[in-house]
């Protein structure tokens, strides 16, 4: 599985874990990197010095490349980027903002940059900004989503046509066969969130993980579209959000309902009723908690099996 993504990041397999809030700490990131992929620390739920602690621990736990995912709307973005540069993090994935702002600064320090997009329009802007790779994320993904609501199967070929940069597919990918499908559409790597969020090394609460194993098709919904479209798992809180949206709640009313700390309460503290629970549609196919090493083995073997089956079919 050698290609431009593996060469760019210096990894064995073009498989990248999502930098998910409250799930992607140093244990998950280092485990993915040690298993041959690229592990990401999710800075979006960390105070600056907490991020530094996770970076230091990740460097101690792996001698392989790893990265940090940074939402560009983070309120202390200057401090976060300073820490990343000081700690010599080799790779940064950015999202939720203009890549032109920080890409030149990071690349000047020798840091490789990938940016997450939800449309071919934004992919072209990424190329103009000078990023090294693009993550095209379909609306099947958990957590914050693009407003276009384009599925991964439609998005990947559109972005492939729009840019020749190394392309990473994301959203709805949880098997080796899905990796093969993504490659067939023009991707050269994949970013996987939900599958790793429910791994043994994920920092998500055990109650959240066990609850998620019971979810069926249709048990996630894209909500909070007036604020920032977010795919949420069924819960009392999601019911409240959907009821408010149906009643025509204003943006201010939705902000008040969301409040602060909902995601931490749900995914990290395990409050399944009042917390914000974010996972992708692929969750309905996950029925056990596995360690990262086994997940990576399943993904690689599944990819190889899918390619062999296609070859026989053709």
């Amino acid at each position: 599985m050698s290609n431009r993504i593996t060469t760019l990041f210096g990894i064995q397999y073009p498989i990248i874990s999502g930098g998910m809030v409250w799930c992607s700490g140093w244990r998950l990131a280092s485990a993915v990197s040690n298993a041959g992929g690229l592990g990401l620390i999710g800075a979006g739920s960390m105070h600056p010095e907490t991020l530094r602690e996770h970076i230091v621990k990740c460097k101690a736990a792996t001698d392989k490349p790893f990265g940090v995912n940074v939402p560009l709307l983070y309120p202390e973005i200057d401090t976060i980027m300073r820490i990343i540069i000081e700690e010599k993090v080799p790779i940064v994935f950015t999202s939720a903002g203009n890549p032109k702002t920080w890409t030149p600064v990071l690349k000047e320090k020798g840091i490789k940059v990938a940016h997450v997009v939800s449309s071919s329009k934004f992919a072209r802007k990424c190329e103009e900004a000078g990023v090294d790779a693009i993550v095209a994320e379909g609306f099947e993904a958990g957590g914050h989503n693009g407003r276009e609501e384009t599925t991964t199967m439609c998005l990947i070929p559109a972005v492939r046509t729009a840019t020749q940069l190394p392309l990473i597919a994301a959203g709805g990918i949880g098997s080796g066969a899905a990796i093969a499908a993504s490659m067939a559409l023009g991707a050269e790597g994949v970013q996987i969130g939900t599958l790793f969020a429910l791994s043994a090394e994920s920092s998500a609460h055990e109650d959240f993980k066990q609850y998620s194993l019971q979810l069926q098709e249709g048990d996630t919904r894209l909500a909070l579209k007036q604020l920032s479209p977010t795919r949420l798992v069924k819960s009392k809180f999601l019911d409240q959000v959907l009821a408010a949206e149906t009643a025509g709640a204003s943006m201010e009313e939705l902000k008040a309902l969301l409040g602060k700390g909902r995601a931490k309460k749900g995914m990290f503290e395990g409050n399944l009723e009042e917390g914000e629970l974010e996972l992708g549609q692929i969750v309905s196919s996950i029925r056990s908690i596995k360690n990262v090493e086994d997940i990576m083995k399943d993904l690689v073997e599944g990819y190889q099996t899918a390619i062999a089956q296609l070859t026989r079919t053709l």
Side-chain angles (χ1 to χ4, degrees):
M1 297 176 75
S2 177
N3 60 23
R4 289 197 297 173
I5 293 297
T6 58
T7 300
L8 175 65
F9 297 134
I11 55 180
Q12 184 178 1
Y13 306 117
I15 299 172
I16 300 152
S17 61
M20 303 164 286
V21 295
W22 304 114
C23 299
S24 299
W26 68 270
R27 287 185 180 86
L28 177 56
S30 61
V32 173
S33 291
N34 283 333
L38 178 66
L40 297 183
I41 296 171
S45 54
M46 297 180 182
H47 294 296
E49 287 310 313
T50 302
L51 173 61
R52 189 191 296 275
E53 177 185 348
H54 278 259
I55 292 171
V56 170
K57 288 182 176 179
C58 195
K59 286 193 286 190
T62 183
D63 59 357
K64 303 293 195 302
F66 71 93
V68 174
N69 180 81
V70 182
L72 294 175
L73 298 180
Y74 188 96
E76 297 179 87
I77 187 70
D78 290 352
T79 305
I80 287 290
M81 291 302 191
R82 175 176 56 79
I83 289 172
I84 286 171
I85 291 169
E86 288 176 353
E87 294 296 337
K88 296 181 171 55
V89 174
I91 300 160
V92 170
F93 277 50
T94 56
S95 60
N98 186 349
K100 289 184 178 180
T101 308
W102 283 100
T103 296
V105 176
L106 294 170
K107 293 192 68 173
E108 184 182 352
K109 299 297 182 179
I111 298 171
K112 295 182 175 65
V113 180
H115 190 76
V116 182
V117 303
S118 57
S119 71
S120 54
K121 171 185 175 182
F122 288 115
R124 286 188 288 269
K125 290 183 180 296
C126 283
E127 189 164 31
E128 294 169 4
V131 304
D132 296 292
I134 291 172
V135 181
E137 183 179 79
F139 99 127
E140 301 97 322
H144 296 287
N145 259 278
R147 297 188 178 279
E148 297 82 3
E149 298 189 23
T150 306
T151 65
T152 302
M153 184 162 281
C154 292
L155 180 61
I156 298 307
V159 173
R160 179 72 293 161
T161 300
T163 175
Q164 292 306 304
L165 285 175
L167 176 58
I168 300 161
I173 300 168
S175 68
I179 295 175
S182 300
M183 300 291 195
L185 293 173
E188 296 155 89
V190 296
Q191 185 168 42
I192 294 175
T194 297
L195 188 59
F196 286 123
L198 301 181
S199 69
E201 291 88 347
S202 164
S203 51
H205 197 281
E206 188 64 23
D207 289 350
F208 171 53
K209 294 180 187 180
Q210 293 300 325
Y211 175 68
S212 300
L213 299 181
Q214 307 168 35
L215 297 173
Q216 305 295 322
E217 293 177 8
D219 281 347
T220 68
R221 293 284 297 275
L222 200 61
L224 296 169
K225 295 182 183 181
Q226 287 192 65
L227 302 179
S228 175
T230 308
R231 183 166 297 282
L232 300 174
V233 170
K234 70 172 185 178
S235 66
K236 179 181 177 182
F237 172 62
L238 176 57
D239 290 342
Q240 292 172 341
V241 169
L242 296 177
E245 290 180 331
T246 299
S250 66
M251 185 179 296
E252 290 72 24
E253 289 171 328
L254 289 173
K255 285 181 179 179
L257 176 60
L258 181 60
K260 292 184 178 180
R262 285 275 189 182
K264 180 182 181 182
K265 182 182 292 185
M267 293 182 284
F268 192 68
E269 298 176 353
N271 187 329
L272 304 179
E273 291 295 317
E274 300 297 336
E276 180 179 343
L277 310 177
E278 302 177 5
L279 286 174
Q281 288 182 331
I282 197 65
V283 68
S284 64
S285 69
I286 303 171
R287 288 295 172 260
S288 63
I289 306 298
K290 296 183 178 181
N291 60 47
V292 165
E293 185 177 1
D294 289 338
I295 290 172
M296 289 290 290
K297 181 180 178 181
D298 289 345
L299 290 172
V300 173
E301 289 181 352
Y303 169 82
Q304 293 169 339
T305 299
I307 294 299
Q309 290 175 339
L310 285 171
T311 301
R312 287 195 297 271
T313 300
L314 295 173

